[in-house]
Amino acid sequence: MSATLDALKEREAKLLCRTYSRYPIAVKCGKGSRLWDFDGKEYVDLLAGIAVVGLGHGNEELAGVMAEQARRLVHVSNLFYQQEQLDFAEKLLGTCHAGKAFFCNSGAEANEAAIKMARRYQRKVRGRDAWEVISLDNCFHGRTLATLSATGKHTEGFEPLPEGFRRAPWGDLDALDAAITPHTAAVLVEAIQGEGGVFPLGRDYARGIEALCRQRGVLLICDEIQAGMGRSGKFWAFQHYDLTPDIVTSAKALANGLPLGAMLASDEVAAGFDYGSHATTFGGGALVTAVGSRVLDIMRRDGLVQRAAELGERARARFRALGERLPGSIREVRGLGLLLGIDLDATPEQARAVWAALLERGYILNLTHGTVLRLVPPLTIDEADLTGFTDTLEDLLRHWR
Ligand SMILES: *Cc1c(COP(=O)(O)O)cnc(C)c1O
């Protein structure tokens, strides 16, 4: 282990709260889908800062926008009209059916805004005493108290959790139907569960959920924080299933690494908020939204959504072929676009060993749900990096037993 890494580890133990168990790497710099540590070792980044750096590291165009905007205006607060915020809102709303945006700084905050909006819409617009939000088992919606309550994991020691959340079992429409009561305000789902191990809802299930929501007068909230922004091969993952969610939440890739979150709602549902209903100091400031606008311009200009669809399709075919060449190595290959999951036919300990060996060989990705290698590379990644990864994985899996 390098001296720099050792020194950073020691300082961190003294200085930071013990919340993160880190990978054994300290990154010095990055370019495109490559990262370098302090010893000069090069890595292929198949993680992209957890589905955040969709346009790659060290993007010159975005660096230019940042520098220029930083000199002109970084932040004035939401007490003022802001042209950058409106330009971004116009472009982002242009990607789907939603009519109004609210900007914040993270995924959890976007979901908080969605939960608040769903409750307030039900009460103020529909006159219904409905507050409960139903999410699905194995979901991930964030780490604030309310989103933690929706997620239902990582809750130990944080009780009492906010009330008004319940979970329904995955894949069971009857159970969801039974979970909905007169007090249910909304159903909150990821079109593709990301942290949970890369599980797409599938068309029938997704459309069944939407139909149930409509029948029962319950709002549908799609959490697109990970699967959105082109990653799935459609701009929004729910568009694979032709859904029209009442509320959409986004964050991770919105500003290619600057903190920016968004909640998008239909005009009807957005009437739930009034002046003063909700606010945040930093949300949608000039710097982050100027960058967000350019991110959307680049995605359109370079056809990155279609690119994610094509590269992802071919990557999954390669992973499946690998599984056939090495029976008993891969349980399942899942995902849409460049949100890819390879479920290893292994114990969590074995899967961890494969993950660590990949890291050693210079491939950064993560392991979720015990045995799932999850790849969320920049949408700009060279296909050769994905084929190189497949070859390396094959080599490891061949020699692993
Ligand atoms: C990452 C993530 C969140 C939380 O986002 P933060 O910015 O970490 O608060 C919520 N939902 C999904 C699906 C995510 O992937």
Side-chain angles (χ1 to χ4, degrees):
M1 207 183 286
S2 85
T4 313
L5 183 58
D6 280 342
L8 292 174
K9 263 180 131 167
E10 209 175 297
R11 286 173 67 201
E12 171 164 321
K14 284 197 202 103
L15 297 169
L16 302 187
C17 290
R18 294 196 300 172
T19 49
Y20 302 106
S21 45
R22 314 267 191 197
Y23 294 174
I25 299 175
V27 178
K28 187 179 181 196
C29 59
K31 194 78 194 164
S33 52
R34 299 293 166 117
L35 292 172
W36 288 270
D37 69 13
F38 283 86
D39 297 326
K41 178 170 173 177
E42 183 171 320
Y43 296 87
V44 174
D45 185 11
L46 302 173
L47 183 65
I50 320 183
V52 166
V53 189
L55 304 188
H57 301 282
N59 187 301
E60 290 293 342
E61 227 177 312
L62 296 177
V65 174
M66 276 183 223
E68 192 199 327
Q69 185 64 43
R71 288 195 188 94
R72 186 164 62 234
L73 187 70
V74 171
H75 172 88
V76 287
S77 90
N78 283 307
L79 295 172
F80 298 86
Y81 295 97
Q82 296 167 76
Q83 184 179 311
E84 295 84 356
Q85 192 176 84
L86 293 172
D87 289 346
F88 179 60
E90 215 160 62
K91 287 178 189 173
L92 191 62
L93 288 166
T95 61
C96 67
H97 60 283
K100 297 271 191 294
F102 175 86
F103 295 121
C104 52
N105 316 289
S106 69
E109 280 179 66
N111 283 336
E112 288 271 342
I115 293 160
K116 287 179 77 174
M117 172 159 278
R119 285 183 174 182
R120 208 164 185 282
Y121 165 78
Q122 294 288 10
R123 293 209 171 96
K124 298 285 175 184
V125 179
R126 298 272 299 279
R128 290 186 56 209
D129 190 24
W131 65 83
E132 200 164 58
V133 173
I134 302 177
S135 51
L136 298 179
D137 279 349
N138 202 35
C139 64
F140 183 77
H141 297 298
R143 299 280 204 143
T144 59
L145 282 168
T147 58
L148 202 59
S149 207
T151 299
K153 281 191 287 271
H154 318 294
T155 58
E156 199 198 332
F158 296 122
E159 302 84 358
L161 295 174
E163 287 173 36
F165 296 91
R166 89 163 61 188
R167 263 167 317 285
W170 168 272
D172 188 341
L173 282 174
D174 292 334
L176 181 60
D177 194 20
I180 295 173
T181 73
H183 298 302
T184 306
V187 172
L188 167 62
V189 299
E190 297 158 86
I192 309 170
Q193 284 190 339
E195 301 301 307
V198 189
F199 287 94
L201 286 176
R203 192 174 177 84
D204 290 348
Y205 184 35
R207 297 200 57 76
I209 292 171
E210 185 178 69
L212 253 183
C213 288
R214 301 291 174 244
Q215 269 167 35
R216 307 287 301 270
V218 166
L219 298 181
L220 177 62
I221 307 172
C222 280
D223 176 341
E224 291 275 337
I225 291 160
Q226 182 158 157
M229 288 297 286
R231 173 155 301 283
S232 75
K234 301 263 187 197
F235 194 93
W236 302 106
F238 65 76
Q239 291 168 336
H240 284 280
Y241 309 132
D242 299 311
L243 303 181
T244 48
D246 303 283
I247 302 176
V248 178
T249 55
S250 179
K252 287 190 163 84
L254 270 182
N256 207 53
L258 298 188
L260 176 57
M263 179 204 57
L264 310 179
S266 67
D267 284 311
E268 150 90 11
V269 172
F273 276 179
D274 220 324
Y275 295 110
S277 293
H278 192 45
T280 160
T281 299
F282 288 119
L287 179 68
V288 288
T289 50
V291 172
S293 277
R294 187 61 70 91
V295 166
L296 295 176
D297 292 345
I298 295 172
M299 285 180 67
R300 181 186 289 260
R301 182 194 69 199
D302 296 349
L304 293 181
V305 181
Q306 187 57 32
R307 188 173 195 276
E310 290 165 9
L311 260 62
E313 182 78 44
R314 292 200 288 270
R316 274 188 302 283
R318 281 193 292 273
F319 299 157
R320 289 195 178 114
L322 166 56
E324 279 160 25
R325 282 198 297 282
L326 300 176
S329 63
I330 293 174
R331 196 176 290 134
E332 193 177 32
V333 173
R334 293 188 294 269
L336 288 166
L338 287 174
L339 176 42
L340 298 159
I342 303 171
D343 196 350
L344 297 175
D345 197 349
T347 64
E349 292 71 34
Q350 289 170 326
R352 204 172 160 78
V354 172
W355 170 82
L358 283 165
L359 204 61
E360 185 56 39
R361 299 243 197 142
Y363 288 96
I364 294 180
L365 64 160
N366 74 349
L367 191 65
T368 59
H369 205 54
T371 56
V372 182
L373 296 174
R374 178 180 51 167
L375 287 74
V376 283
L379 309 186
T380 52
I381 191 170
D382 281 341
E383 191 151 22
D385 284 339
L386 290 169
T387 52
F389 165 78
T390 315
D391 294 344
T392 304
L393 181 62
E394 174 154 12
D395 193 44
L396 287 172
L397 294 179
R398 255 184 215 292
H399 298 105
W400 145 40
R401 285 165 207 273

